[in-house]
Amino acid sequence: MGKPIAVSLLKKYLSGNCTASEAAEVDHWFDLMDGVPDHISGLTDEERVLMEDKIFERILQNIEAKEHQNLGLRPKKSIYSWKVLAVAASLFLCLSMVLLWMQYSSSFSPKKSFKSSQSASIRPGGNKAVLTLDDGSSLVLTDANLGKVADQYDMSVVKTAEGEVSYQKSKGGNPSEMVYNTITTPVGGKYSVILPDGSKVWLNAKSSLRFPTSFTGAERSVQMTGEVYFEVVKNPKQPFKVRCGGTEISVLGTHFNVMAYNDEANQKTTLLEGSIHLSSGNFSKLLKPGQQASVNQSTGIEVSNNVDLEAVMAWRNDLFIFKDMEIKDIARQLSRWYDVQVVFKGTPSKIPYTGTIAKDVELSEMLSMLQFTGLKYELNDHVLTIIE
């Protein structure tokens, strides 16, 4: 876990009596740590707690510094907060960084240390998508130049300066029948598209949307998989319909999020504004803003009120927000964003995690945060093994 350091120097540092050069040496040592090493002896329990505090703070500072460096002159505000709730008595540590306050609590003993394999650099996901045209040809949008990327009869497909795809009327001929396109994001990808009617759509990782290049007829109908957020342009004469699996969502003009991954227990539709009508089999519900419909093919539709919209929209805002979430649920998100296979050695813990972190950090930094809550893991190539 890094080079050795004198216990006497650590004690001097923790008591605030170091010289500037000695403090720099200890700070550098903290940068190499992911927990208090087993071989450090001669520290009191209180001193070990202070060391955990300092190491954790250095991890957060390094993450923050990397984000500012990546964003150049547009610093991005990030908030980090980690907490583990357990039946046993908890230890609370409060950290302060510049104008940023972080709270972290854990049920593990301050004498406990963590061991993990050194992880290779696994970058976070980003803007990646493939557009499949009506003739079956495909365009890798990530590599496409800005401007027009394809012509389809009376529509041009354009990649905007914002890196999204839009559909614009052209002087081409009208197709004799409906022409469809499909945009697909891979694992570790996301993308946004402006549909022919002006509605905006954002796709999360491992998602797809099939839509016509021109909305004609009595309705605007699209099909989706994965997770998609919609901001639909209002048109009372032409309802907008989303179909995913056996569920149909009808709207006139509204903002809503649909999460329908195959590896999730339920499909969840969350309404932010406007109103939507949702139907599945013999069940149907009308949602109001702030409500979430959970669809289960066996039990029907269950509606929840006062949903945490911030957590629902975290992915759209480039954040991970975990609120009382078990590690197996967190693992699915990590798998989709970092393109790793997650396996469990033992029964997954039911300890709930709560925390917020920007999605642009490397996997190693995310795991370092989780490791401070007591998580043990091994990362070999793109296989993440969580040890219980």
Side-chain angles (χ1 to χ4, degrees):
M1 294 192 54
K3 66 179 183 180
I5 191 168
V7 175
S8 59
L9 179 57
L10 287 175
K11 286 180 173 287
K12 191 176 179 182
Y13 179 94
L14 295 173
S15 65
N17 296 318
C18 273
T19 64
S21 60
E22 289 173 335
E25 180 183 349
V26 177
D27 283 339
H28 177 67
W29 185 80
F30 283 151
D31 287 340
L32 304 177
M33 297 298 104
D34 54 13
V36 178
D38 288 328
H39 65 266
I40 297 293
S41 58
L43 295 176
T44 66
D45 286 351
E46 182 180 359
E47 287 169 335
R48 281 186 171 270
V49 170
L50 288 174
M51 282 183 60
E52 290 285 1
D53 186 320
K54 291 293 184 181
I55 294 171
F56 184 64
E57 185 176 6
R58 294 294 294 185
I59 289 174
L60 295 176
Q61 288 173 339
N62 290 337
I63 292 173
E64 186 77 6
K66 287 182 180 179
E67 288 181 353
H68 282 222
Q69 184 179 20
N70 291 339
L71 290 169
L73 298 178
R74 290 187 61 193
K76 180 177 180 180
K77 184 177 181 181
S78 299
I79 300 174
Y80 306 97
S81 169
W82 286 97
K83 178 171 61 176
V84 172
L85 304 178
V87 176
S90 296
L91 170 67
F92 294 91
L93 303 176
C94 295
L95 307 176
S96 173
M97 288 174 51
V98 193
L99 300 178
L100 191 63
W101 288 91
M102 293 137 315
Q103 186 180 11
Y104 159 66
S105 66
S106 168
S107 61
F108 59 84
S109 163
K111 294 183 179 180
K112 188 174 182 179
S113 64
F114 311 105
K115 297 179 180 178
S116 64
S117 60
Q118 292 295 320
S119 58
S121 176
I122 296 182
R123 299 288 300 165
N127 282 353
K128 303 173 187 176
V130 173
L131 182 68
T132 303
L133 305 179
D134 190 66
D135 61 3
S137 61
S138 296
L139 299 170
V140 180
L141 297 176
T142 317
D143 301 331
N145 295 325
L146 300 182
K148 186 187 298 185
V149 296
D151 277 316
Q152 295 180 103
Y153 299 100
D154 61 339
M155 278 289 176
S156 293
V157 184
V158 177
K159 183 177 179 180
T160 70
E162 290 73 28
E164 60 191 7
V165 164
S166 68
Y167 285 73
Q168 300 174 7
K169 277 283 188 181
S170 67
K171 296 181 180 180
N174 293 319
S176 57
E177 57 185 24
M178 202 77 96
V179 173
Y180 285 89
N181 284 183
T182 301
I183 185 169
T184 305
T185 53
V187 174
K190 62 174 183 174
Y191 219 84
S192 61
V193 56
I194 302 175
L195 297 178
D197 66 338
S199 297
K200 293 196 69 174
V201 177
W202 288 260
L203 286 80
N204 200 353
K206 200 177 178 181
S207 303
S208 70
L209 184 75
R210 183 176 185 266
F211 54 93
T213 59
S214 180
F215 288 114
T216 59
E219 64 183 36
R220 296 169 286 170
S221 179
V222 302
Q223 292 178 296
M224 62 152 288
T225 64
E227 184 166 24
V228 181
Y229 171 65
F230 297 86
E231 291 186 354
V232 177
V233 171
K234 189 172 184 178
N235 185 350
K237 296 181 180 180
Q238 198 179 35
F240 191 97
K241 294 188 176 182
V242 179
R243 294 181 172 89
C244 50
T247 301
E248 180 178 278
I249 302 165
S250 299
V251 308
L252 297 179
T254 184
H255 298 182
F256 62 102
N257 187 78
V258 183
M259 190 276 290
Y261 287 111
N262 291 332
D263 58 356
E264 298 288 347
N266 300 317
Q267 173 191 307
K268 294 180 179 180
T269 300
T270 308
L271 181 62
L272 280 76
E273 65 176 63
S275 63
I276 60 178
H277 180 265
L278 186 145
S279 61
S280 180
N282 297 323
F283 304 96
S284 65
K285 293 287 183 181
L286 184 66
L287 295 189
K288 298 178 181 179
Q291 291 184 324
Q292 181 181 83
S294 182
V295 178
N296 184 290
Q297 299 301 320
S298 301
T299 59
I301 304 173
E302 180 179 342
V303 176
S304 301
N305 296 304
N306 302 318
V307 176
D308 188 336
L309 298 181
E310 182 185 27
V312 171
M313 295 305 300
W315 72 269
R316 168 70 183 84
N317 296 320
D318 296 324
L319 294 171
F320 285 111
I321 297 181
F322 309 132
K323 295 196 175 181
D324 294 335
M325 188 176 293
E326 295 180 14
I327 191 62
K328 61 183 177 61
D329 299 319
I330 293 175
R332 288 196 295 273
Q333 292 194 34
L334 298 184
S335 176
R336 289 192 286 260
W337 188 239
Y338 291 101
D339 191 11
V340 293
Q341 178 186 358
V342 181
V343 296
F344 286 88
K345 185 179 292 185
T347 303
S349 169
K350 292 189 175 297
I351 293 176
Y353 291 77
T354 293
T356 299
I357 187 170
K359 294 184 73 173
D360 57 0
V361 301
E362 292 188 3
L363 178 59
S364 59
E365 294 169 343
M366 166 66 77
L367 293 175
S368 291
M369 301 285 285
L370 287 171
Q371 194 174 43
F372 264 87
T373 69
L375 182 74
K376 298 180 182 179
Y377 69 90
E378 293 176 355
L379 183 60
N380 297 304
D381 194 13
H382 276 65
V383 178
L384 172 62
T385 302
I386 296 176
I387 303 168
E388 295 297 331

